[in-house]
Amino acid sequence: MKNIFNKIIILFAATLFCTSCEENAIPELTVPVNEGSTLAKFFFHAEDAPTANFYFFEDKVTAYNTSEEELDGLDYKGVYPSNAYALVPSGSTEVRAVDLEGNELAYMEFNFQVGQNYSIYLVGTTGNYEVAIIEDNLPEDDPQKIYWRFVNTMADMPFNVDAYAIRAAVPATEESPAEDVQVIELGQNIGFKEGGDYQLLEPGSYTFKVFDAGSTYDPVESDPYIQHSVNVGTRGRTYTTQIRGTYKDPSSSSNIDFWRDR
């Protein structure tokens, strides 16, 4: 494993930064295809954790040194790499989250399979941090389709959750008839460190809602525990909405986001 991560390949040859996109619009990025590899990306979802990095064995796999003297790391809401996956070794690995002082925050042994994609999370609360790994069972790539899933990494939640994508009604035009509100289920009774399957979405304006799975509600009319809104327009993309951090009531906008998987 010595120096193996000096050659970690980030699968984006170029990232196009959108400086004039409207709020909540999904940015345009280019994704080269890479098959036959193990791919992983890393999320920092422990709200009160110190700045940290992920290591495989003793090799750092997330942020790099900013200088010979100073280490760089990632904080809550950080992700590495951005809108991409890193190429990582397959096989049995010690996955470690380590702060900048060298303290191990969390540890997990995991066997990474060739040809699979994984999301790796630092989750939990002070004194109880964990590494969580979810296999990203990406749907078949299709330039005409949009897929979305939901993942729950919010620590200390007193309930499991149901998640929905609510597509707003579309008024009639001279060229097309009106379209009713659509309700797409992203998962039922999803617990901490669990996720739902990818679901097919049509372009449109969506509100992603998360409810207490044990409560009575109407997905369209009821107020959820937490929600966010996204304009979904570019076909051929795959995304995940995630709730993260530590449970609080009322919830905060910092506890929900979405990320592009492909």
Side-chain angles (χ1 to χ4, degrees):
M1 294 296 296
K2 184 178 180 181
N3 295 323
I4 191 169
F5 286 97
N6 292 335
K7 298 182 180 179
I8 283 183
I9 300 170
I10 305 307
L11 300 179
F12 278 64
T15 301
L16 306 179
F17 292 93
C18 177
T19 58
S20 60
C21 299
E22 58 183 278
E23 185 176 1
N24 292 326
I26 294 171
E28 294 284 344
L29 298 170
T30 302
V31 185
V33 175
N34 188 298
E35 297 180 355
S37 303
T38 297
L39 302 174
K41 57 183 174 180
F42 303 84
F43 295 91
F44 292 75
H45 282 189
E47 195 162 1
D48 57 354
T51 302
N53 285 295
F54 274 101
Y55 287 72
F56 280 12
F57 295 103
E58 299 300 322
D59 295 297
K60 185 167 58 173
V61 296
T62 51
Y64 298 103
N65 290 1
T66 55
S67 69
E68 291 184 1
E69 295 80 22
E70 184 178 0
L71 289 174
D72 189 18
L74 290 165
D75 298 310
Y76 175 59
K77 299 187 290 185
V79 59
Y80 179 88
S82 178
N83 282 322
Y85 285 91
L87 182 65
V88 299
S90 304
S92 181
T93 304
E94 295 178 0
V95 182
R96 305 166 58 232
V98 180
D99 69 18
L100 299 188
E101 296 180 352
N103 301 306
E104 186 175 275
L105 305 178
Y107 164 91
M108 183 180 186
E109 293 184 5
F110 194 83
N111 188 24
F112 292 95
Q113 301 298 311
V114 174
Q116 297 297 325
N117 294 59
Y118 298 91
S119 290
I120 302 174
Y121 300 87
L122 175 63
V123 299
T125 56
T126 301
N128 193 30
Y129 297 123
E130 298 179 70
V131 174
I133 300 177
I134 293 178
E135 185 173 322
D136 299 343
N137 293 311
L138 298 173
E140 184 177 353
D141 194 12
D142 189 321
Q144 298 303 313
K145 294 180 179 179
I146 304 167
Y147 291 95
W148 214 286
R149 70 167 177 177
F150 170 80
V151 169
N152 177 5
T153 63
M154 183 176 285
D156 291 348
M157 291 195 79
F159 48 81
N160 290 350
V161 298
D162 301 337
Y164 299 88
I166 312 297
R167 183 175 183 262
V170 179
T173 68
E174 293 182 358
E175 292 79 22
S176 60
E179 298 179 32
D180 294 335
V181 171
Q182 294 182 15
V183 178
I184 298 92
E185 183 182 298
L186 297 180
Q188 297 286 297
N189 200 36
I190 297 176
F192 180 49
K193 302 184 292 184
E194 295 179 346
D197 296 328
Y198 288 98
Q199 302 297 328
L200 180 65
L201 301 186
E202 294 297 323
S205 179
Y206 283 83
T207 300
F208 294 85
K209 294 185 174 184
V210 180
F211 294 91
D212 177 348
S215 65
T216 301
Y217 58 84
D218 180 287
V220 177
E221 300 296 336
S222 299
D223 292 330
Y225 165 67
I226 194 170
Q227 68 179 38
H228 70 152
S229 297
V230 181
N231 296 318
V232 178
T234 305
R235 297 181 184 272
R237 303 293 168 79
T238 304
Y239 299 93
T240 298
T241 280
Q242 306 169 100
I243 56 173
R244 62 192 177 191
T246 304
Y247 174 80
K248 58 180 72 70
D249 191 11
S251 61
S252 166
S253 60
S254 71
N255 295 121
I256 187 169
D257 76 347
F258 71 96
W259 210 259
R260 180 178 166 189
D261 301 327
R262 183 178 59 198

